[in-house]
Amino acid sequence: MKNLVITGLGAVTPIGIGVDNYWQGILDMKCGIEKITRFHDEDIPITIAGEVKDFDPKNYMSPKLTKETGTFIQFAYASAKEAIKQSNIDIDSQPDRIGVVMATALSGTSIIADTERAYSVDGKKRVSPRFLPKILGNLGAAQIAISYGIHGPSFTVSTACSSGGDAICMAAMLLNSGEADVMLVVGGESAHCPIIMSTLAQAKALSKNTDPKSACRPFDADRDGFVMGEGGGAIVLETEEHAKKRNAKVLCSLAGYGNNTDAYHVTSPRPDGSGAVECMISALKKAGMKPEDIDYINTHGTSTPVGDPIEVKAIKTLFGWKNHENPMPEELKAKIPPVSSTKGNTGHLMGAGGITEIIACIKAIETGILPPTLNYKTPDPLCDLDFVSEGPRKVKINTAMSNALGFGGQNSSIIVKKYTK
């Protein structure tokens, strides 16, 4: 494997636009979940979500492009713009050696729902010619490539909640295979609409808690489902050799990455967490690390009754405990690093979450501060790890792992570490 490094970050989230505001929101234990404003439907029992506030696409793109793009693309575009600027990459000098991987789980679903309602219910029988460019998942990568003159590999990954992590995996594979020197990995999601909220509510996946600030409570005994979020994230990933040649400021190293599938169920992970375990092992092998080399784990941690304890079981298994019917010995539990979930801050950003959460890992390494798990109040015997529940924690941290686990049994695991020349 080539040495890969990250040189740029970008974020659009419900707790802040821009990486600095996003990270400060985490440190301030800010919750971006509020009453839904994107639609109103009294037949939908879900009334809360994590929405991006004060976002004006015209601050990031031309008025013409604003009219031609869906909100999920706009979030991705704004994140990409921030990451490209920080990386200081000269795209014009090597357009064929720079590529894009776009991550999105639901693409333009909300636009499809709104357009179908206008056509079938409201009687507006003419559909805008901009409809398809607004909804297609790959148009996020395309619009970025068009704007910046990027001519290298272009892919769009749609693997449900694992999309962001899998997009990083794909970008790393392209760099390692020599297809590019630099990859922009970007994610965008904005799918708050009645049909999505209704199906997830019927599936009993969403929290029924009506208090926005306490509804998303990963690993807490009183959790009752996840909360939808929206936003965008981006990283600039390149080979260390390329970054050195252009004297780039390196933020951290991408040490390892893993991807696999449970091949078990369309919504539920394997009860024993074995798929997630093997995915983490794959990432560790690529990094040349052992589990005890990891200083912090940013979990998938969605706040669901079923998913959270399975992820905890997977982490325990990774660190050598397989007798899950009995409590884990304290001396073995002490070897597991602190873990947390940032979804209590933002809600579940779906395809974009795997990228914003690896950004949280990078900022943790940079600042020496672990992000806390918001709303963790009541311990659950099945979720008995160190969840950084007291608030941001100052520690020495050199390595971090981020897990994203999606519908269909999709698993991704990304490891970043402090960069040393």
Side-chain angles (χ1 to χ4, degrees):
M1 274 181 47
K2 297 179 181 179
N3 292 329
L4 304 180
V5 297
I6 294 168
T7 57
L9 308 173
V12 174
T13 77
I15 58 171
I17 298 171
V19 170
D20 289 344
N21 291 326
Y22 164 56
W23 180 243
Q24 191 60 51
I26 289 175
L27 298 185
D28 291 341
M29 301 182 73
K30 181 179 179 180
C31 179
I33 298 168
E34 295 180 1
K35 293 288 184 180
I36 295 173
T37 64
R38 294 208 180 276
F39 71 88
H40 177 70
D41 191 324
E42 293 181 354
D43 293 327
I44 306 297
I46 306 302
T47 60
I48 62 172
E51 295 182 339
V52 175
K53 292 92 175 172
D54 303 319
F55 179 82
D56 185 350
K58 294 186 181 70
N59 291 333
Y60 308 95
M61 57 180 65
S62 69
K64 179 178 181 295
L65 191 53
T66 297
K67 293 178 181 179
E68 295 174 351
T69 51
T71 305
F72 81 100
I73 296 175
Q74 293 169 359
F75 290 160
Y77 191 100
S79 302
K81 187 170 187 177
E82 182 183 14
I84 290 170
K85 182 179 180 181
Q86 183 180 26
S87 73
N88 199 31
I89 187 76
D90 181 5
I91 295 173
D92 293 338
S93 67
Q94 49 178 342
D96 296 333
R97 299 297 300 168
I98 300 174
V100 187
V101 183
M102 170 75 180
T104 182
L106 295 166
S107 303
T109 305
S110 59
I111 302 169
I112 296 171
D114 291 344
T115 304
E116 176 60 31
R117 182 181 181 87
Y119 188 91
S120 300
V121 179
D122 300 337
K124 297 179 181 179
K125 296 298 184 179
R126 297 183 67 180
V127 178
S128 167
R130 298 188 179 100
F131 173 68
L132 274 178
K134 282 186 175 183
I135 69 166
L136 294 177
N138 74 301
L139 264 292
Q143 294 288 16
I144 293 166
I146 292 167
S147 293
Y148 287 95
I150 295 171
H151 292 274
S154 179
F155 291 91
T156 297
V157 175
S158 185
T159 49
C161 314
S162 183
S163 299
D166 288 337
I168 295 173
C169 290
M170 175 169 280
M173 288 187 282
L174 288 165
L175 291 171
N176 275 311
S177 66
E179 295 295 318
D181 297 318
V182 182
M183 291 299 300
L184 174 67
V185 188
V186 60
E189 209 74 80
S190 182
H192 297 164
C193 62
I195 60 172
I196 294 297
M197 294 297 188
S198 179
T199 186
L200 289 173
Q202 293 300 318
K204 297 180 171 56
L206 296 178
S207 172
K208 296 183 178 65
N209 191 332
T210 57
D211 176 12
K213 301 306 177 186
S214 65
C216 187
R217 42 197 324 113
F219 305 108
D220 186 89
D222 297 325
R223 68 191 183 279
D224 69 338
F226 76 87
V227 177
M228 281 284 285
E230 64 176 4
I235 66 170
V236 174
L237 182 65
E238 56 187 299
T239 65
E240 181 186 34
E241 179 184 12
H242 184 269
K244 282 183 174 180
K245 282 182 179 178
R246 66 183 192 89
N247 295 316
K249 179 182 178 182
V250 173
L251 303 177
C252 75
S253 297
L254 177 67
Y257 53 93
N259 161 278
N260 69 0
T261 179
D262 283 357
Y264 172 74
H265 192 271
V266 293
T267 58
S268 175
R270 282 190 175 275
D272 62 0
S274 56
V277 174
E278 290 303 317
C279 188
M280 289 186 282
I281 290 173
S282 175
L284 287 165
K285 284 182 178 178
K286 290 186 182 72
M289 294 180 180
K290 299 176 181 178
E292 53 266 32
D293 295 324
I294 301 298
D295 298 321
Y296 163 68
I297 300 175
N298 186 291
T299 65
H300 189 56
T302 58
S303 184
T304 58
V306 173
D308 285 9
I310 291 177
E311 188 173 8
V312 168
K313 185 182 291 186
I315 292 170
K316 286 182 175 181
T317 302
L318 180 69
F319 282 84
W321 185 245
K322 297 180 181 179
N323 186 11
H324 295 290
E325 291 75 22
N326 296 311
M328 189 176 190
E330 289 301 320
E331 62 271 19
L332 187 55
K333 190 187 296 185
K335 295 181 180 180
I336 300 178
V339 308
S340 68
S341 169
T342 49
K343 288 184 173 67
N345 302 97
T346 64
H348 192 346
L349 301 193
M350 309 299 284
I355 300 176
T356 57
E357 287 160 17
I358 203 65
I359 290 173
C361 288
I362 294 167
K363 295 300 291 184
I365 291 172
E366 178 186 305
T367 62
I369 302 175
L370 298 182
T373 301
L374 209 61
N375 296 323
Y376 182 83
K377 308 290 185 186
T378 307
D380 179 349
L382 297 177
C383 300
D384 56 347
L385 301 179
D386 176 4
F387 294 112
V388 196
S389 58
E390 76 283 2
R393 183 185 301 172
K394 193 79 175 176
V395 297
K396 181 180 179 181
I397 171 173
N398 292 309
T399 61
M401 172 186 282
S402 181
N403 294 329
L405 317 174
F407 279 6
Q410 291 287 153
N411 302 307
S412 74
S413 186
I414 308 296
I415 300 172
V416 288
K417 66 179 181 179
K418 186 183 291 289
Y419 177 69
T420 54
K421 295 182 181 180

